[in-house]
Amino acid sequence: MISKLKSKLQRPYPYEQETANIFKMSVVYGLFVAFFLYAFRPFGIESGPYNLLLICLAYGGVTTAVVLALNTTIGYIFPKQFVEEKWNVGREIFWTIVNISLIGLANAVLTSYLANISFGIRLILYFQLYTVLLALVPIVFMIMYNEAIHNKKYAELSEDINSRLSIPENSNKHITISSNNDNEELNLNADDLVYITSADNYIEVYYSQSSGSDEIEMKLLRNTLKNTEDNLSGFQNIIRCHKSYIVNLDYVNNVTGNAQGYKLHLSNSDKLIPVSRKLNDFVKEKLTS
């Protein structure tokens, strides 16, 4: 039972990194809180001296501000922890509880101000009881349900791609991957390039030693993935599939999927190349055309 639960908590889960989507999520949280308070009027909220609608909107606004601030800053402070490759169901549950706990704390501060009551541990615990404990079961259920739905969706779509996988012909054209450092560049055939990934202010270029070889070498160059993508724009089989990856589709021999989206399996590497969800259709079309 414990091992089964642990396995579920370790299943990959999508981590939202787009600022626009975080903003939408924050507004939805705020509107839900405002609507809930206005519709059900708990804690005698309607008996205060303030307009009920404005009070509900105030709580909703605080909720939106907390979620937006938390989810747009913490990822930058701890970038190695908040990456989709490490994100799973357990982390999503924990992070959601952190969000709700801080919402409860902020709303306790707002209540102290509006109701003119002392702000202390009793008030904090009161709000944590209602915001965290009451929401815990729905949170866990919705996250696990969402993971199962997305996992099933991408697993089925991956099978469809694999059934129609069309490996394009290799190109023998020569490419040069430049570096911001003088007199440092990498020259190779296009069909020897396997994939490229970003590494801070550098890129890691993975390539075959020679055509048909299973041995892969890595070259570290000072450049950005965006500059490299522009430089390789003339090669239709070499595409940007993720914010951190460029991949040569010639080497893709299988596609799998989980709640985070597609993963590309390469013929001569154990590395699984992720596909950004917003690029799903583009990559699928490239692989099956």
Side-chain angles (χ1 to χ4, degrees), residues 40-58:
F40 297 99
R41 306 181 184 185
F43 322 126
I45 192 172
E46 77 281 3
S47 61
Y50 303 99
N51 179 275
L52 177 61
L53 179 59
L54 292 179
I55 289 295
C56 294
L57 290 176

Side-chain angles (χ1 to χ4, degrees), residues 149-169:
I149 292 297
H150 279 77
N151 187 64
K152 180 180 179 181
K153 170 187 173 182
Y154 284 111
E156 292 176 349
L157 289 173
S158 297
E159 290 181 5
D160 178 62
I161 293 176
N162 289 325
S163 67
R164 298 187 290 128
L165 191 63
S166 176
I167 304 299
E169 294 183 2

Side-chain angles (χ1 to χ4, degrees), residues 81-260:
Q81 299 301 319
F82 287 81
V83 291
E84 190 161 72
E85 287 81 359
K86 294 182 178 181
W87 210 249
N88 54 35
V89 171
R91 289 193 177 204
E92 180 68 14
I93 292 174
F94 173 77
W95 185 236
T96 304
I97 292 174
V98 169
N99 275 260
I100 292 176
S101 297
L102 290 181
I103 290 171
L105 179 61
N107 284 331
V109 174
L110 179 60
T111 300
S112 175
Y113 172 76
L114 293 176
N116 194 26
I117 57 178
S118 61
F119 179 76
I121 190 65
R122 184 174 181 180
L123 183 64
I124 293 174
L125 291 176
Y126 177 79
F127 269 85
Q128 294 305 316
L129 175 67
Y130 282 98
T131 55
V132 177
L133 295 184
L134 294 181
L136 184 59
V137 172
I139 285 172
V140 173
F141 173 79
M142 288 303 300
I143 289 175
M144 287 192 167
Y145 175 78
N146 192 47
E147 184 278 328
I149 292 297
H150 279 77
N151 187 64
K152 180 180 179 181
K153 170 187 173 182
Y154 284 111
E156 292 176 349
L157 289 173
S158 297
E159 290 181 5
D160 178 62
I161 293 176
N162 289 325
S163 67
R164 298 187 290 128
L165 191 63
S166 176
I167 304 299
E169 294 183 2
N170 289 333
S171 169
N172 290 317
K173 292 183 179 179
H174 182 79
I175 61 176
T176 298
I177 302 177
S178 59
S179 170
N180 293 332
N181 293 335
D182 294 336
N183 302 320
E184 184 181 26
E185 60 184 25
L186 178 63
N187 297 289
L188 69 162
N189 290 327
D191 55 358
D192 290 335
L193 176 65
V194 182
Y195 70 93
I196 306 172
T197 184
S198 60
D200 295 326
N201 296 322
Y202 292 81
I203 57 171
E204 296 176 356
V205 183
Y206 292 83
Y207 60 98
S208 294
Q209 292 181 321
S210 59
S211 298
S213 172
D214 289 335
E215 296 184 23
I216 295 181
E217 291 188 355
M218 189 275 284
K219 177 75 172 179
L220 188 67
L221 298 173
R222 187 176 180 84
N223 207 334
T224 67
L225 211 60
K226 181 64 172 69
N227 288 340
T228 307
E229 177 189 12
D230 294 339
N231 187 39
L232 299 174
S233 60
F235 299 88
Q236 295 188 7
N237 296 345
I238 301 173
I239 65 168
R240 180 81 169 263
C241 65
H242 186 273
K243 72 172 187 175
S244 302
Y245 289 91
I246 292 174
V247 65
N248 187 348
L249 297 181
D250 292 2
Y251 288 90
V252 177
N253 65 359
N254 188 39
V255 181
T256 56
N258 55 38
Q260 292 178 347

